[in-house]
């Protein structure tokens, strides 16, 4: 395993979801809730990957457009999209994804290294790959997602 790669989980449940045609997953314990898409209020001056903010029972939550962050082609947001509300590094954020796919039980042995890329100087968004049931699922490092997307967000 690469030195900058952190094993995402030792074992446990992950929730998988699609961003465009690509499938990713995160530790299920980081997901607070999953909501249907509602229009976010745009904020001027935020990074392009920030779709806007939503009111989550009195808490203002930034919504990260995962297609934009992961450079995946997509169509405009629709009623079929969902927002996964996550907690990471003391912040709450929403991840706008195409759809939630599955809940999987994984072990550390199932997570394989990400091939070396040209972006060795920054932490990768995907910290491991899981080949499961004919699918290739990228394990997202939520701390890197938060760092890249929320760093300059109020």
């Amino acid at each position: 395993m690469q030195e900058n790669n952190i094993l995402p989980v030792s074992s446990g449940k992950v929730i998988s979801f699609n961003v465009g045609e690509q499938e990713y997953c995160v530790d299920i314990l980081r997901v607070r809730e999953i909501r249907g898409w509602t229009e976010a209020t745009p904020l001027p001056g935020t990074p392009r990957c920030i779709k806007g903010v939503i009111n989550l029972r009195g808490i203002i939550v930034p919504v990260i457009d995962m297609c934009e962050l992961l450079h995946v082609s997509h169509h405009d947001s629709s009623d079929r999209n969902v927002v996964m509300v996550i907690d990471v590094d003391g912040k709450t954020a929403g991840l706008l994804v195409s759809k939630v796919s599955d809940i999987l039980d994984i072990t550390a042995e199932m997570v394989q290294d990400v091939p070396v890329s040209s972006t060795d100087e920054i932490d990768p968004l995907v910290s491991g790959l899981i080949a499961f049931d004919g699918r290739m699922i990228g394990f997202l490092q939520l701390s890197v997602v938060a760092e890249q997307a929320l760093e300059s967000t109020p």
Side-chain angles (χ1 to χ4, degrees), residues 10-144:
S10 57
S11 65
K13 293 189 183 298
V14 296
I15 187 163
S16 67
F17 53 92
N18 285 69
V19 177
E21 298 296 320
Q22 306 296 313
E23 192 169 8
Y24 298 93
C25 67
V26 296
D27 184 348
I28 198 167
L29 296 178
R30 301 302 261 314
V31 179
R32 273 175 70 172
E33 66 181 85
I34 298 170
R35 305 170 49 94
W37 168 245
T38 56
E39 197 64 39
T41 302
L43 290 177
T46 57
R48 187 179 169 135
C49 64
I50 301 296
K51 194 78 172 171
V53 295
I54 59 173
N55 181 352
L56 182 66
R57 294 180 292 281
I59 301 171
I60 304 301
V61 176
V63 176
I64 303 167
D65 183 344
M66 294 304 291
C67 285
E68 193 69 41
L69 184 67
L70 297 168
H71 306 289
V72 173
S73 64
H74 63 92
H75 304 288
D76 288 335
S77 302
S78 73
D79 293 342
R80 302 187 71 188
N81 295 139
V82 295
V83 175
M84 295 175 41
V85 179
I86 57 153
D87 286 321
V88 59
D89 298 336
K91 293 184 176 183
T92 300
L95 305 181
L96 176 61
V97 302
S98 304
K99 68 177 183 179
V100 172
S101 308
D102 217 345
I103 294 174
L104 307 170
D105 285 311
I106 65 163
T107 62
E109 295 76 30
M110 295 169 72
V111 182
Q112 299 178 30
D113 288 342
V114 175
V116 176
S117 71
S118 61
T119 59
D120 288 338
E121 294 177 11
I122 59 172
D123 288 332
L125 287 166
V126 175
S127 61
L129 295 171
I130 301 168
F132 182 81
D133 199 23
R135 299 153 35 199
M136 184 65 66
I137 305 169
F139 200 106
L140 283 182
Q141 275 195 93
L142 289 177
S143 60
V144 177

